[in-house]
Amino acid sequence: MSDPASTPASAQDSPFRDERTSRDEAPQFVLPLVAHIEKAAPPARTDALETAARAVLVMLSDARALGDGEWAEAVRSWQDARIRKVVRRARGAEWRRAEALPGITVTGKSAEVRVFPPVPLDGWPKDLARLQVSGTDLDDPEPPAGPGPAAPVLWLNPTVDMSAGKAMAQAGHGAQLAWWDLSDASRTAWRDAGFPLAVRTAAPADWPALTTSGLPVVRDAGFTEVAPGSCTVVADHRPLRTG
């Protein structure tokens, strides 16, 4: 701030732990995500978070990121190291230049997020490197409705304050951990449905149980905004509870 797509992340070798691991010895890559944020019409915060999470899933499941696809080597190199994601914002001509680069644009109700194949940590394309990380402070015009009973939910830690950009990256981490832990059949069903999901802030009383439920938990490495080891997201998907 994250296949081989069939390889789950183990608790011992998670790319989202703050302890130093063998992943730190590998060349470091980052997954760039660019949010389209116009001053006059910014997207709703929750929609932006959900769209970013879906963008990560779309990248992971894209044929170009798998096997011998044109992005596959970059994706493998990225996943061999820390699974870093960085969200930048673009507007106007900046967004048009970003759209011209190889990547995938994912749309929500009001949000647009473009995800790009991973790049070396110090090797961003010029038109992405010049984009700002700041300026992603977003709000919800009204509180989001509760998630449906069958919807996959990425629960945010209610005690950790994150900018929208940081929360978008963390939601992407949570979606990725869920993807890794699903069976092939469950992945296919989720992909074919268009990756429906919800991002919500957990109730404070529910958070301790969520983090000890056995569901995938993102523990931030502490590069930005939050303390190392902070639990930021729990990925709750029905197949993860039953399988």
Side-chain angles (χ1 to χ4, degrees):
M1 184 255 123
S2 268
D3 88 324
S6 60
T7 302
S10 70
Q12 291 74 31
D13 190 32
S14 171
F16 306 119
R17 297 175 67 86
D18 60 306
E19 298 93 341
R20 189 169 183 83
T21 73
S22 60
R23 290 177 180 273
D24 293 289
E25 308 307 320
Q28 298 295 303
F29 281 69
V30 61
L31 186 78
L33 297 116
V34 175
H36 186 193
I37 303 177
E38 298 288 348
K39 288 182 179 180
R45 179 185 173 97
T46 295
D47 188 36
L49 270 56
E50 292 172 350
T51 303
R54 287 194 295 113
V56 171
L57 294 167
V58 168
M59 171 58 73
L60 290 173
S61 61
D62 192 279
R64 290 166 290 184
L66 303 174
D68 296 325
E70 61 186 287
W71 299 340
E73 184 176 354
V75 170
R76 284 192 291 269
S77 295
W78 169 57
Q79 292 186 116
D80 284 343
R82 290 284 184 177
I83 310 300
R84 299 180 189 232
K85 301 177 181 74
V86 171
V87 177
R88 297 176 184 250
R89 54 99 173 149
R91 57 175 62 105
E94 295 172 333
W95 176 251
R96 292 190 291 273
R97 285 193 293 269
E99 282 194 304
L101 297 174
I104 308 168
T105 296
V106 177
T107 59
K109 297 181 180 70
S110 60
E112 286 183 290
V113 175
R114 189 163 179 83
V115 59
F116 301 87
V119 298
L121 195 59
D122 57 356
W124 285 64
K126 180 178 63 176
D127 284 334
L128 299 184
R130 62 175 50 146
L131 298 177
Q132 297 295 312
V133 175
S134 60
T136 58
D137 294 327
L138 302 170
D139 296 308
D140 282 311
E142 54 188 47
V153 184
L154 303 173
W155 294 108
L156 302 177
N157 187 335
T159 68
V160 173
D161 186 28
M162 295 183 283
S163 68
K166 176 71 171 181
M168 289 166 72
Q170 297 298 303
H173 292 339
Q176 187 162 2
L177 287 184
W179 177 255
W180 279 344
D181 281 3
L182 289 171
S183 67
D184 289 342
S186 293
R187 288 180 184 173
T188 298
W190 200 12
R191 182 198 64 207
D192 291 349
F195 293 120
L197 57 84
V199 178
R200 298 292 185 271
T201 300
D206 295 339
W207 184 247
L210 283 169
T211 59
T212 57
S213 63
L215 292 167
V217 179
V218 177
R219 292 179 174 84
D220 193 67
F223 294 122
T224 61
E225 292 195 27
V226 303
S230 299
C231 297
T232 55
V233 179
V234 174
D236 190 355
H237 193 350
R238 182 173 291 177
L240 298 177
R241 288 184 176 272
T242 60

